[in-house]
Amino acid sequence: MWIATGLFADKGFQGTTTREIADRAGVNESLLFRHFPSKEKLYWTIIKELSRARGRRQRVKNILAQGGDDDVKVFSAIAREFLVRTPRDRELTRLLWFTALENHTLSERFFHNYVAEYYEALAGYVRGRIREGKFRKVNPLIAARGFLGMVVYHFLIQELFGAEKYQRFDANDVAATMASVWLGGMQSSAAHKNGNGSTNGSSNSNHLRSRKKSRK
């Protein structure tokens, strides 16, 4: 199956034939179809195996469940889950981009079974923080997509577009930066005043007050 994974990742769904997969694996094409009735079935099996092997969904759920009151810790940890990449992660990324461009049915199936759950879990956390008055009142699902969108865009630029050949970043630094930037727009003014980070506006006003006192 991993021979097929490499071919699909290099050539896409349409560009890879079952005969080519069988030849590379050293088996008869009829034997391949005995295990996988269609190319779609083989492709979907690969996606499922790669997704399950990472165990990322459960780790993200654990982060959200055990996060407590430390939003920076929670969102930095979630970002790291997506930024720390393995060779299998890279193959899965390429497979999914080919899928999105070539086979909408498989792409929609993947989103429904795997991606949507991340958004919903994160949106649930955001919703809870809004009720507690820690986050501003925004659409939780859009906010969740916004955060994960930042993270996903970064590794797509690095991996698919080859930016990592020119500039590398430490995953921990990227995760902390993205969490800080996103939370800066999400945390309520009350949360900032209670010690979860001061806004630029408040720090600037304090600076102006100190300057006025010095003039007197």
Side-chain angles (χ1 to χ4, degrees):
M1 189 168 68
W2 300 125
I3 291 173
T5 303
L7 287 170
F8 281 134
D10 288 339
K11 298 185 175 184
F13 180 81
Q14 301 293 346
T16 303
T17 66
T18 53
R19 177 171 297 233
E20 185 178 15
I21 295 170
D23 288 345
R24 288 282 189 94
V27 300
N28 190 282
E29 192 176 9
S30 61
L31 179 62
L32 183 66
F33 281 120
R34 193 177 303 170
H35 293 281
F36 305 99
S38 66
K39 187 166 70 169
E40 287 84 357
K41 179 66 175 178
L42 172 59
Y43 198 81
W44 182 247
T45 301
I46 290 171
I47 288 176
K48 286 197 298 183
E49 290 299 319
L50 286 173
S51 298
R52 290 172 179 171
R54 295 178 302 171
R56 181 170 291 149
R57 285 195 294 177
Q58 189 56 51
R59 291 197 298 272
V60 168
K61 287 182 179 179
N62 292 340
I63 291 169
L64 293 172
Q66 301 167 9
D69 202 46
D70 192 339
D71 293 320
V72 174
K73 180 180 178 181
V74 168
F75 285 92
S76 294
I78 290 175
R80 278 195 301 272
E81 278 296 327
F82 290 89
L83 291 169
V84 176
R85 314 286 288 163
T86 68
R88 290 301 183 199
D89 285 321
R90 289 180 170 85
E91 286 184 331
L92 180 58
T93 299
R94 293 183 64 84
L95 284 172
L96 295 177
W97 274 87
F98 275 126
T99 302
L101 294 172
E102 299 177 334
N103 193 312
H104 295 304
T105 301
L106 283 173
S107 181
E108 291 168 6
R109 187 177 176 188
F110 177 81
F111 182 86
H112 176 74
N113 285 278
Y114 294 98
V115 179
E117 189 172 351
Y118 286 117
Y119 291 135
E120 292 295 342
L122 194 55
Y125 181 92
V126 171
R127 198 172 288 114
R129 298 301 275 169
I130 291 173
R131 284 196 299 266
E132 295 166 3
K134 302 296 184 180
F135 285 179
R136 296 188 299 111
K137 292 182 180 179
V138 297
N139 184 304
L141 187 56
I142 293 176
R145 288 191 178 190
F147 177 72
L148 292 179
M150 287 173 29
V151 178
V152 171
Y153 181 76
H154 176 80
F155 75 67
L156 287 179
I157 290 295
Q158 290 296 100
E159 293 177 16
L160 290 190
F161 295 97
E164 65 181 358
K165 295 178 182 178
Y166 308 100
Q167 192 170 23
R168 292 181 178 273
F169 298 92
D170 179 77
N172 291 324
D173 290 342
V174 175
T177 299
M178 289 185 172
S180 176
V181 169
W182 186 83
L183 287 169
M186 284 296 298
Q187 289 177 328
S188 66
S189 57
H192 282 297
K193 291 177 182 177
N194 288 334
N196 289 335
S198 60
T199 63
N200 287 334
S202 62
S203 61
N204 287 341
S205 62
N206 289 335
H207 178 64
L208 289 173
R209 281 197 294 269
S210 63
R211 287 181 63 186
K212 287 180 181 179
K213 289 181 180 179
S214 64
R215 288 174 183 172
K216 291 179 181 179

